[in-house]
Coordinates of all heavy atoms in Angstrom, one line a residue:
M1 N -29.2 -52.4 -16.4 CA -28.0 -51.9 -17.1 C -28.3 -51.2 -18.3 O -29.2 -51.7 -19.1 CB -27.0 -53.1 -17.4 CG -25.9 -52.7 -18.4 SD -25.0 -54.2 -18.9 CE -23.8 -54.3 -17.7
K2 N -27.7 -50.0 -18.6 CA -27.9 -49.3 -19.7 C -26.6 -49.1 -20.4 O -25.6 -48.7 -19.8 CB -28.6 -47.9 -19.4 CG -28.9 -47.1 -20.6 CD -29.7 -45.9 -20.3 CE -30.1 -45.1 -21.5 NZ -30.9 -43.9 -21.1
V3 N -26.5 -49.3 -21.8 CA -25.3 -49.0 -22.5 C -25.5 -47.8 -23.4 O -26.4 -47.7 -24.1 CB -24.9 -50.2 -23.4 CG1 -23.6 -50.0 -24.2 CG2 -24.7 -51.5 -22.6
I4 N -24.5 -46.9 -23.3 CA -24.6 -45.6 -24.0 C -23.6 -45.6 -25.2 O -22.4 -46.1 -25.0 CB -24.3 -44.4 -23.2 CG1 -25.2 -44.4 -21.9 CG2 -24.4 -43.1 -23.9 CD1 -26.7 -44.3 -22.1
W5 N -24.0 -45.2 -26.4 CA -23.2 -45.2 -27.5 C -23.0 -43.8 -28.0 O -23.9 -43.0 -28.2 CB -23.9 -46.0 -28.6 CG -23.1 -46.0 -30.0 CD1 -21.8 -46.3 -30.2 CD2 -23.7 -45.6 -31.2 NE1 -21.6 -46.1 -31.6 CE2 -22.8 -45.7 -32.2 CE3 -25.0 -45.1 -31.6 CZ2 -22.9 -45.4 -33.5 CZ3 -25.2 -44.8 -33.0 CH2 -24.2 -44.9 -33.9
D6 N -21.6 -43.4 -28.1 CA -21.3 -42.1 -28.6 C -21.0 -42.2 -30.1 O -20.0 -42.6 -30.5 CB -20.1 -41.6 -27.9 CG -19.7 -40.2 -28.3 OD1 -20.2 -39.7 -29.3 OD2 -18.8 -39.6 -27.6
D7 N -22.0 -41.9 -30.9 CA -21.9 -42.0 -32.4 C -20.7 -41.1 -33.0 O -20.2 -41.5 -34.0 CB -23.2 -41.8 -33.1 CG -23.8 -40.4 -32.9 OD1 -23.5 -39.8 -31.9 OD2 -24.4 -39.9 -33.8
Q8 N -20.4 -40.0 -32.3 CA -19.3 -39.2 -32.8 C -18.0 -39.7 -32.5 O -17.0 -39.5 -33.3 CB -19.4 -37.8 -32.1 CG -20.7 -37.1 -32.4 CD -20.9 -36.7 -33.8 OE1 -20.0 -36.2 -34.5 NE2 -22.1 -37.1 -34.4
A9 N -17.9 -40.5 -31.5 CA -16.6 -41.2 -31.1 C -16.4 -42.5 -31.8 O -15.2 -43.0 -32.1 CB -16.5 -41.4 -29.6
C10 N -17.5 -43.1 -32.2 CA -17.4 -44.5 -32.9 C -16.6 -44.5 -34.2 O -16.8 -43.6 -35.1 CB -18.8 -45.0 -33.2 SG -19.0 -46.7 -33.8
C11 N -15.7 -45.5 -34.2 CA -14.9 -45.6 -35.4 C -15.4 -46.8 -36.4 O -14.8 -47.1 -37.4 CB -13.4 -45.9 -35.0 SG -13.0 -47.4 -34.3
H12 N -16.5 -47.3 -35.9 CA -17.2 -48.4 -36.7 C -16.4 -49.6 -37.0 O -16.4 -50.2 -38.1 CB -17.8 -47.8 -38.0 CG -18.7 -46.6 -37.8 ND1 -19.9 -46.8 -37.2 CD2 -18.5 -45.2 -37.9 CE1 -20.5 -45.6 -37.0 NE2 -19.6 -44.6 -37.4
S13 N -15.6 -50.0 -36.1 CA -14.8 -51.3 -36.2 C -15.7 -52.4 -36.3 O -15.2 -53.4 -36.9 CB -13.8 -51.4 -35.1 OG -14.5 -51.7 -33.9
G14 N -16.8 -52.4 -35.7 CA -17.7 -53.5 -35.7 C -17.4 -54.6 -34.7 O -18.0 -55.6 -34.6
N15 N -16.4 -54.3 -33.8 CA -16.1 -55.3 -32.8 C -17.2 -55.7 -32.0 O -17.5 -56.9 -31.6 CB -15.0 -54.8 -31.9 CG -13.7 -54.8 -32.6 OD1 -13.5 -55.2 -33.7 ND2 -12.7 -54.1 -32.0
C16 N -18.1 -54.7 -31.6 CA -19.2 -55.1 -30.6 C -20.3 -55.9 -31.4 O -20.7 -56.9 -30.8 CB -19.9 -53.8 -30.1 SG -20.4 -52.7 -31.5
V17 N -20.5 -55.7 -32.6 CA -21.5 -56.4 -33.4 C -21.0 -57.7 -33.6 O -21.7 -58.8 -33.5 CB -21.8 -55.7 -34.7 CG1 -22.7 -56.5 -35.5 CG2 -22.4 -54.3 -34.4
K18 N -19.7 -57.9 -33.9 CA -19.1 -59.2 -34.3 C -19.0 -60.1 -32.9 O -19.2 -61.3 -33.0 CB -17.7 -59.1 -34.9 CG -17.8 -58.4 -36.2 CD -16.3 -58.2 -36.7 CE -16.4 -57.2 -37.8 NZ -15.0 -56.7 -38.1
T19 N -18.7 -59.5 -31.8 CA -18.5 -60.2 -30.6 C -19.8 -60.6 -29.9 O -19.8 -61.7 -29.4 CB -17.6 -59.4 -29.7 OG1 -16.4 -58.9 -30.3 CG2 -17.3 -60.1 -28.4
L20 N -20.8 -59.7 -29.9 CA -22.0 -59.9 -29.1 C -23.2 -59.5 -30.0 O -23.9 -58.6 -29.6 CB -21.9 -59.1 -27.8 CG -22.6 -59.8 -26.6 CD1 -22.3 -61.2 -26.3 CD2 -22.4 -58.9 -25.4
P21 N -23.5 -60.2 -31.0 CA -24.5 -59.8 -32.0 C -26.0 -59.8 -31.4 O -26.8 -59.2 -32.0 CB -24.4 -60.7 -33.2 CG -23.7 -61.9 -32.7 CD -22.7 -61.4 -31.5
E22 N -26.1 -60.6 -30.4 CA -27.4 -60.6 -29.7 C -27.7 -59.3 -28.9 O -28.8 -59.0 -28.6 CB -27.6 -61.8 -28.9 CG -26.6 -62.0 -27.7 CD -25.4 -62.7 -28.1 OE1 -24.9 -62.8 -29.2 OE2 -24.7 -63.2 -27.1
V23 N -26.6 -58.6 -28.6 CA -26.8 -57.3 -27.9 C -26.7 -56.1 -28.9 O -27.4 -55.1 -28.9 CB -25.8 -57.3 -26.7 CG1 -25.9 -55.8 -26.1 CG2 -26.1 -58.3 -25.7
F24 N -25.6 -56.1 -29.7 CA -25.2 -55.0 -30.5 C -25.6 -55.4 -31.9 O -25.0 -56.3 -32.5 CB -23.7 -54.6 -30.4 CG -23.3 -54.3 -29.0 CD1 -22.8 -55.3 -28.2 CD2 -23.5 -53.0 -28.5 CE1 -22.4 -55.0 -26.8 CE2 -23.1 -52.7 -27.2 CZ -22.6 -53.7 -26.4
K25 N -26.5 -54.6 -32.6 CA -26.9 -54.9 -33.9 C -27.3 -53.7 -34.7 O -27.7 -52.7 -34.1 CB -28.0 -56.0 -33.9 CG -29.2 -55.6 -33.1 CD -30.2 -56.7 -33.0 CE -30.0 -57.4 -31.7 NZ -31.0 -58.5 -31.4
V26 N -27.3 -53.9 -36.1 CA -27.8 -52.8 -36.9 C -29.0 -53.3 -37.6 O -28.9 -54.3 -38.2 CB -26.7 -52.4 -37.9 CG1 -27.3 -51.3 -38.8 CG2 -25.5 -51.8 -37.2
E27 N -30.2 -52.7 -37.4 CA -31.4 -53.0 -38.1 C -32.0 -51.8 -38.7 O -32.1 -50.8 -38.1 CB -32.3 -53.7 -37.1 CG -32.0 -55.0 -36.6 CD -33.0 -55.6 -35.6 OE1 -34.0 -55.0 -35.4 OE2 -32.7 -56.7 -35.1
N28 N -32.3 -52.0 -40.0 CA -32.9 -50.8 -40.7 C -32.0 -49.5 -40.6 O -32.6 -48.4 -40.5 CB -34.3 -50.5 -40.3 CG -35.1 -51.8 -40.6 OD1 -35.1 -52.4 -41.6 ND2 -36.0 -52.0 -39.6
G29 N -30.7 -49.7 -40.7 CA -29.8 -48.5 -40.6 C -29.7 -47.9 -39.2 O -28.9 -46.9 -39.0
Q30 N -30.3 -48.5 -38.2 CA -30.2 -48.1 -36.8 C -29.3 -49.0 -36.0 O -29.4 -50.2 -36.0 CB -31.6 -47.9 -36.2 CG -32.5 -47.0 -36.9 CD -32.0 -45.5 -36.8 OE1 -31.6 -45.1 -35.7 NE2 -32.0 -44.8 -37.8
F31 N -28.4 -48.4 -35.2 CA -27.6 -49.1 -34.2 C -28.5 -49.4 -33.0 O -29.0 -48.5 -32.3 CB -26.4 -48.4 -33.9 CG -25.4 -49.2 -33.0 CD1 -25.0 -50.5 -33.3 CD2 -25.0 -48.6 -31.9 CE1 -24.1 -51.1 -32.5 CE2 -24.1 -49.3 -31.0 CZ -23.7 -50.6 -31.4
L32 N -28.7 -50.7 -32.7 CA -29.5 -51.0 -31.5 C -28.6 -51.8 -30.4 O -27.7 -52.4 -30.8 CB -30.6 -52.1 -31.9 CG -31.6 -51.6 -33.0 CD1 -32.5 -52.7 -33.3 CD2 -32.3 -50.4 -32.5
I33 N -28.9 -51.4 -29.2 CA -28.3 -52.1 -28.1 C -29.3 -52.7 -27.2 O -30.1 -52.0 -26.6 CB -27.4 -51.0 -27.4 CG1 -26.4 -50.3 -28.2 CG2 -26.7 -51.7 -26.2 CD1 -25.7 -49.2 -27.7
E34 N -29.2 -54.0 -26.9 CA -30.2 -54.6 -26.2 C -29.4 -55.5 -25.1 O -29.2 -56.8 -25.3 CB -31.0 -55.6 -27.1 CG -31.9 -54.8 -28.1 CD -32.6 -55.7 -29.0 OE1 -32.2 -56.9 -29.3 OE2 -33.6 -55.1 -29.6
P35 N -28.9 -54.8 -24.0 CA -28.1 -55.4 -23.1 C -28.7 -56.6 -22.3 O -28.1 -57.4 -21.8 CB -27.7 -54.3 -22.1 CG -28.7 -53.2 -22.3 CD -29.2 -53.4 -23.7
Q36 N -30.1 -56.7 -22.3 CA -30.7 -57.7 -21.6 C -30.6 -59.0 -22.2 O -30.9 -60.1 -21.7 CB -32.2 -57.4 -21.4 CG -33.0 -57.4 -22.8 CD -33.0 -56.2 -23.6 OE1 -32.2 -55.2 -23.3 NE2 -33.7 -56.1 -24.7
N37 N -30.0 -59.1 -23.5 CA -29.9 -60.4 -24.2 C -28.5 -61.1 -23.9 O -28.3 -62.1 -24.5 CB -29.9 -60.0 -25.8 CG -31.3 -59.6 -26.1 OD1 -32.3 -59.9 -25.4 ND2 -31.4 -59.0 -27.3
A38 N -27.8 -60.6 -22.9 CA -26.5 -61.2 -22.5 C -26.3 -61.0 -21.0 O -27.0 -60.0 -20.5 CB -25.4 -60.8 -23.4
S39 N -25.3 -61.6 -20.5 CA -25.0 -61.3 -19.1 C -24.3 -60.0 -19.0 O -23.7 -59.5 -19.9 CB -24.1 -62.4 -18.5 OG -22.8 -62.2 -19.1
E40 N -24.4 -59.4 -17.8 CA -23.8 -58.1 -17.5 C -22.3 -58.2 -17.8 O -21.6 -57.3 -18.3 CB -24.0 -57.7 -16.1 CG -23.5 -56.3 -15.8 CD -23.9 -55.7 -14.4 OE1 -24.9 -56.2 -13.9 OE2 -23.2 -54.9 -13.9
E41 N -21.6 -59.3 -17.4 CA -20.2 -59.5 -17.5 C -19.8 -59.5 -19.1 O -18.9 -58.9 -19.4 CB -19.8 -60.8 -16.9 CG -18.3 -61.0 -17.1 CD -17.8 -62.3 -16.4 OE1 -18.6 -62.9 -15.5 OE2 -16.8 -62.9 -16.8
Q42 N -20.6 -60.2 -19.9 CA -20.4 -60.2 -21.3 C -20.5 -58.8 -21.9 O -19.6 -58.4 -22.7 CB -21.3 -61.1 -22.0 CG -21.2 -62.5 -21.8 CD -22.3 -63.4 -22.4 OE1 -23.4 -63.1 -22.1 NE2 -21.9 -64.4 -23.2
V43 N -21.5 -58.0 -21.5 CA -21.6 -56.7 -22.1 C -20.5 -55.9 -21.6 O -20.0 -55.0 -22.5 CB -23.0 -56.2 -21.6 CG1 -23.2 -54.7 -22.0 CG2 -24.2 -56.9 -22.2
R44 N -20.2 -55.9 -20.4 CA -19.0 -55.1 -19.8 C -17.7 -55.3 -20.6 O -17.0 -54.4 -20.8 CB -18.9 -55.2 -18.4 CG -20.0 -54.5 -17.6 CD -19.8 -54.6 -16.1 NE -20.8 -53.9 -15.3 CZ -21.0 -52.7 -15.1 NH1 -20.0 -51.9 -15.6 NH2 -21.9 -52.2 -14.5
Q45 N -17.5 -56.6 -20.9 CA -16.3 -57.0 -21.6 C -16.3 -56.4 -23.0 O -15.2 -55.9 -23.5 CB -16.1 -58.5 -21.7 CG -15.8 -59.2 -20.4 CD -15.7 -60.7 -20.5 OE1 -16.3 -61.3 -21.4 NE2 -15.2 -61.3 -19.5
V46 N -17.4 -56.4 -23.7 CA -17.4 -55.8 -25.0 C -17.3 -54.3 -25.0 O -16.5 -53.7 -25.8 CB -18.8 -56.2 -25.8 CG1 -18.9 -55.5 -27.1 CG2 -18.7 -57.7 -26.0
V47 N -17.9 -53.7 -24.0 CA -17.8 -52.2 -23.8 C -16.3 -51.8 -23.5 O -15.8 -50.9 -24.1 CB -18.8 -51.7 -22.7 CG1 -18.4 -50.3 -22.3 CG2 -20.2 -51.8 -23.1
A48 N -15.7 -52.6 -22.7 CA -14.4 -52.3 -22.3 C -13.4 -52.5 -23.6 O -12.3 -51.8 -23.6 CB -13.9 -53.2 -21.2
A49 N -13.7 -53.4 -24.4 CA -12.9 -53.7 -25.6 C -13.1 -52.7 -26.8 O -12.4 -52.8 -27.8 CB -13.1 -55.1 -26.0
C50 N -14.0 -51.8 -26.7 CA -14.3 -50.9 -27.8 C -13.1 -50.0 -28.1 O -12.6 -49.3 -27.2 CB -15.5 -50.0 -27.4 SG -15.8 -48.7 -28.7
P51 N -12.5 -50.1 -29.3 CA -11.2 -49.4 -29.6 C -11.3 -47.9 -29.6 O -10.4 -47.2 -29.3 CB -10.8 -49.9 -31.0 CG -12.1 -50.4 -31.6 CD -13.0 -50.8 -30.4
A52 N -12.6 -47.4 -29.8 CA -12.7 -45.9 -29.8 C -13.3 -45.4 -28.5 O -13.5 -44.2 -28.4 CB -13.8 -45.6 -31.0
K53 N -13.6 -46.3 -27.6 CA -14.2 -45.9 -26.2 C -15.6 -45.2 -26.5 O -15.9 -44.3 -25.8 CB -13.3 -45.1 -25.4 CG -11.9 -45.8 -25.1 CD -12.1 -47.0 -24.4 CE -10.8 -47.8 -24.1 NZ -10.9 -49.2 -24.0
A54 N -16.3 -45.7 -27.5 CA -17.6 -45.1 -27.8 C -18.7 -45.7 -27.1 O -19.9 -45.2 -27.2 CB -17.8 -45.3 -29.3
L55 N -18.5 -46.7 -26.3 CA -19.5 -47.3 -25.5 C -19.2 -47.2 -24.0 O -18.0 -47.2 -23.6 CB -19.6 -48.8 -25.8 CG -20.0 -49.2 -27.2 CD1 -19.7 -50.7 -27.4 CD2 -21.4 -48.9 -27.5
R56 N -20.2 -47.0 -23.2 CA -20.1 -46.9 -21.7 C -21.3 -47.5 -21.1 O -22.4 -47.5 -21.7 CB -19.7 -45.5 -21.2 CG -20.8 -44.5 -21.5 CD -20.3 -43.1 -21.0 NE -21.2 -42.0 -21.5 CZ -22.4 -41.7 -21.0 NH1 -22.8 -42.3 -19.9 NH2 -23.1 -40.7 -21.5
V57 N -21.1 -48.0 -19.9 CA -22.2 -48.6 -19.2 C -22.7 -47.7 -18.1 O -21.8 -47.1 -17.4 CB -21.7 -49.9 -18.5 CG1 -22.8 -50.5 -17.6 CG2 -21.4 -51.0 -19.6
E58 N -24.0 -47.5 -18.0 CA -24.6 -46.8 -16.9 C -25.5 -47.7 -16.1 O -26.1 -48.6 -16.6 CB -25.5 -45.7 -17.4 CG -24.7 -44.4 -17.9 CD -25.7 -43.3 -18.3 OE1 -26.8 -43.4 -18.2 OE2 -25.1 -42.2 -18.6
A59 N -25.5 -47.5 -14.8 CA -26.4 -48.3 -13.9 C -27.8 -48.0 -14.4 O -28.2 -46.8 -14.7 CB -26.2 -48.1 -12.5
G60 N -28.7 -48.9 -14.1 CA -30.1 -48.6 -14.4 C -30.8 -49.7 -15.1 O -31.1 -50.2 -16.0

């Protein structure tokens, strides 16, 4: 599973980081996405809840 982030669409609500911090995190000013750190279902739920629709899941 691969999660794609559209930085131009992102409204920086922080919902992803607050909801699933083991997957979505900011380190040294960089937004990191590590989907292997949670179940596919958990990641898909957070992606679906993004208010700006700045996240999407790709197979792989």
Side-chain angles (χ1 to χ4, degrees):
M1 164 189 274
K2 184 175 182 181
V3 179
I4 306 298
W5 173 57
D6 182 348
D7 63 328
Q8 298 299 310
C10 185
C11 66
H12 305 285
S13 68
N15 288 351
C16 56
V17 175
K18 293 175 200 164
T19 305
L20 210 53
E22 59 272 22
V23 173
F24 302 95
K25 56 186 95 178
V26 178
E27 290 183 3
N28 300 319
Q30 298 292 313
F31 184 56
L32 303 177
I33 304 172
E34 299 174 335
Q36 69 277 7
N37 291 339
S39 72
E40 183 173 338
E41 181 180 339
Q42 289 174 304
V43 173
R44 287 185 181 277
Q45 286 176 346
V46 172
V47 167
C50 177
K53 304 299 179 209
L55 298 168
R56 64 183 165 83
V57 174
E58 283 188 353

